[in-house]
Amino acid sequence: IEGGEIIVIDPNSGKILALASSPNFNPNEYSKVTDLAVFQNSVTQKIFEPGSVFKPITMAGALEEEVITPQTTYTDEGFVKIDGWPKPIYNYGQRVYGVQTMTNVLEKSINSGAIFVENQLGHNLFLRSIENFGIFEPSGIDFQETFSENKEFKKGYEINFATAAFGQGIGMTPIQLIRAYCAIANGGKLVKPYLVEKIRENDKIVEIQPKIEENPIISPKTTSQLTAMLISVVENGFAKPAKIPGYYIAGKTGTSQVSFAALNIDKKGYSEKTWQTFVGYAPAFNPQFLILVKLDNPKTKTAEYSAVPIFHDLAKYIIDYYQIPPDYELR
């Protein structure tokens, strides 16, 4: 593994409970650092393409506009041809699934299904939905951050919308992605992530108040539908290793190719390296925490085998630490 980040956040307030990134450095020996990039906090300052963890955001816009339901079906042929683009877009492993529901699309992480959803929504509404989730703006965290305006994506080519639907060709930081997921977890409201809880000035203590947008970006109906679909990803899909007996966990895996540009290589296209990510929250219908695990080029093929087991162990630790009562009795 070449690096990675983990964020634990309270999705209801935006309070960051834990944040870690690697590689790091010893502050007592910072003069010995040879790669100055380690001085950046990659949670807030490094852009990546999220891959399939972005599919629920695509799905959210379409559920909100009621152009699909979780039970809507389409026929997967294993690939999609895009006008003006020479190569078809294939599903992972060139798999062909046939007739599938929208819930199946998330469970099996079907690229053609995400493109179908974006087509139902239409480019303008898809773009507006992504904007509503805060992907084109800073998160507002009380820390140095960068963000991408995604100018290339916004040029509006057919291929750009198709690949963005499943999280390729659209860039964001981990903190922007987890902020978007907070809205899915908390009933539809954008929060401002924050690290500092109190400021002591002279003899005064100023407590930082959470900043939560008053107007929801998606309805509680959409968030509950999407949460049920994300539970199904963990119960029946690629995220089964995230399961914790007695609890409903909502989550999504993502494995994306790293572009040559992200590796500072002057070449178009994508390398063989991957970013592998899992985002999940629990208990799903009353979340106490939300976790993002992102790994840079682990040796496994997909996030199912890398990021998901890390999420499982961390989530189990938090559930035990918080003494969160189970959602259902074990038989």
Side-chain angles (χ1 to χ4, degrees):
I1 182 171
E2 295 175 8
E5 301 85 49
I6 296 176
I7 313 167
V8 185
I9 193 169
D10 178 347
N12 304 297
S13 67
K15 177 181 175 181
I16 290 176
L17 306 171
L19 184 153
S21 66
S22 175
N24 56 18
F25 64 95
N26 182 344
N28 296 313
E29 298 181 339
Y30 72 90
S31 60
K32 295 181 181 178
V33 170
T34 54
D35 180 7
L36 298 182
V38 303
F39 289 139
Q40 284 186 310
N41 186 325
S42 47
V43 167
T44 64
Q45 293 180 288
K46 289 190 180 174
I47 308 288
F48 82 117
E49 295 176 35
S52 295
V53 282
F54 196 75
K55 284 174 183 163
I57 295 170
T58 302
M59 204 70 79
L63 289 167
E64 183 69 14
E65 296 295 330
E66 298 185 340
V67 293
I68 60 161
T69 72
Q71 291 77 38
T72 298
T73 58
Y74 86 112
T75 303
D76 167 54
E77 297 176 346
F79 66 91
V80 178
K81 285 185 176 176
I82 305 297
D83 287 345
W85 196 252
K87 293 180 181 177
I89 295 174
Y90 292 97
N91 294 327
Y92 176 75
Q94 299 198 359
R95 294 172 186 167
V96 183
Y97 292 99
V99 177
Q100 299 291 312
T101 67
M102 296 299 100
T103 299
N104 296 150
V105 167
L106 291 184
E107 286 173 356
K108 299 167 186 174
S109 207
I110 307 173
N111 291 345
S112 72
I115 296 170
F116 169 84
V117 171
E118 197 277 332
N119 284 337
Q120 302 309 300
L121 187 55
H123 298 340
N124 290 337
L125 286 175
F126 178 51
L127 195 60
R128 194 173 78 192
S129 175
I130 297 171
E131 279 179 338
N132 288 343
F133 273 103
I135 299 302
F136 303 140
E137 65 185 26
S139 71
I141 190 172
D142 47 352
F143 199 80
Q144 287 177 317
E145 69 174 320
T146 55
F147 72 102
S148 171
E149 293 180 21
N150 282 283
K151 288 179 180 175
E152 189 63 34
F153 162 61
K154 286 179 180 174
K155 285 179 181 175
Y157 299 122
E158 203 72 23
I159 186 67
N160 295 5
F161 285 107
T163 59
F166 57 87
Q168 290 275 184
I170 183 168
M172 62 205 68
T173 58
I175 197 71
Q176 287 179 298
L177 180 62
I178 205 169
R179 181 184 183 223
Y181 263 82
C182 284
I184 296 170
N186 71 20
K189 293 191 174 181
L190 268 188
V191 297
K192 179 182 175 182
Y194 67 99
L195 287 156
V196 177
E197 194 171 29
K198 295 176 184 175
I199 299 172
R200 185 187 293 274
E201 203 170 327
N202 300 324
D203 290 333
K204 285 184 178 177
I205 294 177
V206 179
E207 294 206 12
I208 304 300
Q209 298 302 315
K211 290 187 179 175
I212 302 157
E213 297 279 342
E214 280 186 32
N215 297 322
I217 55 168
I218 46 176
S219 67
K221 178 188 174 187
T222 296
T223 61
S224 61
Q225 284 179 319
L226 195 49
T227 292
M229 294 165 83
L230 292 173
I231 290 170
S232 201
V233 173
V234 174
E235 295 291 324
N236 309 307
F238 286 155
K240 281 179 187 167
K243 282 178 75 165
I244 297 171
Y247 297 87
Y248 291 118
I249 311 284
K252 183 72 189 78
T253 53
T255 301
S256 54
Q257 289 176 279
V258 181
S259 67
F260 288 116
L263 298 170
N264 295 315
I265 297 171
D266 187 15
K267 186 177 174 183
K268 285 188 174 181
Y270 288 85
S271 69
E272 293 299 308
K273 292 188 174 187
T274 60
W275 287 300
Q276 298 183 17
T277 310
F278 183 78
V279 184
Y281 52 94
F285 288 111
N286 181 27
Q288 306 297 301
F289 61 89
L290 191 153
I291 300 172
L292 178 146
V293 178
K294 170 184 165 276
L295 304 174
D296 301 344
N297 202 37
K299 290 180 179 175
T300 54
K301 279 193 172 181
T302 65
E304 178 183 359
Y305 305 105
S306 59
V308 177
I310 293 171
F311 167 89
H312 170 275
D313 293 354
L314 183 52
K316 178 73 170 68
Y317 175 85
I318 295 171
I319 284 169
D320 292 344
Y321 182 74
Y322 281 0
Q323 298 184 342
I324 298 172
D327 292 318
Y328 57 89
E329 295 286 324
L330 293 174
R331 291 180 182 176

